[in-house]
Amino acid sequence: MGNQQTARVFNDKDVQLLVKLSGKTEDEIRKWYADFHIESDETDRMNKRQFQLFYTKLRKNPKLEQITDHLFRAFDTDHSGTIDFNEFLLAYIATTTGTTRQKFEYAFEVFDINENERIEKKEAEKILNIICRIVGLSQEEAKTYVETLMLSFDENRDKVLTKQEFIDGCLHDPTLAKIASPFDI
């Protein structure tokens, strides 16, 4: 499993690559790495629980704990069951300071719970119910958002959303996009 992977050494080459990809300074990258290293019990890989604690602390919002399992899946790009620092930093930066398109690409991964490259209505219901609960909206409002999202974004009317349909829909409907992005909570 992913937790049995050995820690890899974080070196200057990694730092320079992350500086280039993230737009952060070398000092910022090293500080984030030091925090990540400590929070991962010095293994340099976080499991879901470690990620949950680290992410909610970084975002300063304990309510986010309700959705971190889904964020974890989106950040775990190699599907190892753990998140290394490179995965974490690139995903975190993309979802906080990245382009609108980058944020929606990660948001799609959050919604695609069964990882079949499609968002089904039951997946949209689960994620939007959590997001609405976090931001203080009712379950009835969540249901309305689900119906509207599925109808508005589903261009070919096959009752599922492809990644392209989801991203295009979010880019063209700022109201739905705001509620569909778990990174702006």
Side-chain angles (χ1 to χ4, degrees):
M1 269 321 263
N3 289 333
Q4 295 169 349
Q5 294 176 358
T6 57
R8 80 181 219 16
V9 177
F10 187 69
N11 59 37
D12 287 339
K13 187 177 177 182
D14 293 324
V15 172
Q16 294 312 312
L17 177 63
L18 289 170
V19 165
K20 184 178 177 182
L21 293 172
S22 71
K24 298 293 182 189
T25 67
E26 186 174 325
D27 287 342
E28 288 172 309
I29 300 288
R30 290 190 185 283
K31 167 76 172 95
W32 282 41
Y33 173 73
D35 293 345
F36 187 93
H37 182 72
I38 291 166
E39 296 293 327
S40 69
D41 295 329
E42 301 182 5
T43 65
D44 292 341
R45 296 195 77 80
M46 286 188 178
N47 61 32
K48 275 186 186 180
R49 183 66 184 143
Q50 290 166 322
F51 172 78
Q52 184 178 52
L53 295 170
F54 189 63
Y55 189 83
T56 54
K57 188 187 328 178
L58 266 179
R59 296 299 304 267
K60 298 176 177 67
N61 185 347
K63 289 182 179 179
L64 290 176
E65 199 170 291
Q66 300 172 54
I67 198 165
T68 54
D69 280 356
H70 301 290
L71 299 179
F72 179 88
R73 186 175 26 74
F75 281 36
D76 183 17
T77 56
D78 67 0
H79 307 288
S80 66
T82 60
I83 295 175
D84 68 23
F85 181 67
N86 293 5
E87 286 175 308
F88 172 77
L89 184 67
L90 294 176
Y92 186 79
I93 288 170
T95 58
T96 55
T97 62
T99 66
T100 303
R101 179 171 286 281
Q102 286 173 318
K103 290 178 183 182
F104 294 140
E105 286 171 357
Y106 274 97
F108 176 85
E109 299 302 327
V110 171
F111 277 81
D112 184 20
I113 296 169
N114 65 11
E115 299 179 343
N116 67 350
E117 297 298 316
R118 305 248 184 292
I119 299 173
E120 299 163 17
K121 186 176 180 180
K122 66 183 178 196
E123 293 171 312
E125 286 171 344
K126 183 169 186 126
I127 300 302
L128 286 173
N129 277 329
I130 294 169
I131 291 172
C132 286
R133 193 168 46 244
I134 291 170
V135 298
L137 297 175
S138 71
Q139 292 301 316
E140 196 56 42
E141 289 169 301
K143 186 176 179 181
T144 301
Y145 277 120
V146 170
E147 295 299 328
T148 306
L149 181 112
M150 294 304 292
L151 286 172
S152 299
F153 291 7
D154 186 13
E155 293 175 11
N156 63 2
R157 303 293 176 230
D158 63 353
K159 300 190 190 295
V160 295
L161 302 179
T162 65
K163 189 172 200 170
Q164 196 59 53
E165 286 175 325
F166 180 79
I167 292 169
D168 289 348
C170 287
L171 290 172
H172 292 97
D173 189 330
T175 303
L176 281 176
K178 186 168 176 58
I179 199 71
S181 178
F183 308 110
D184 295 327
I185 301 172

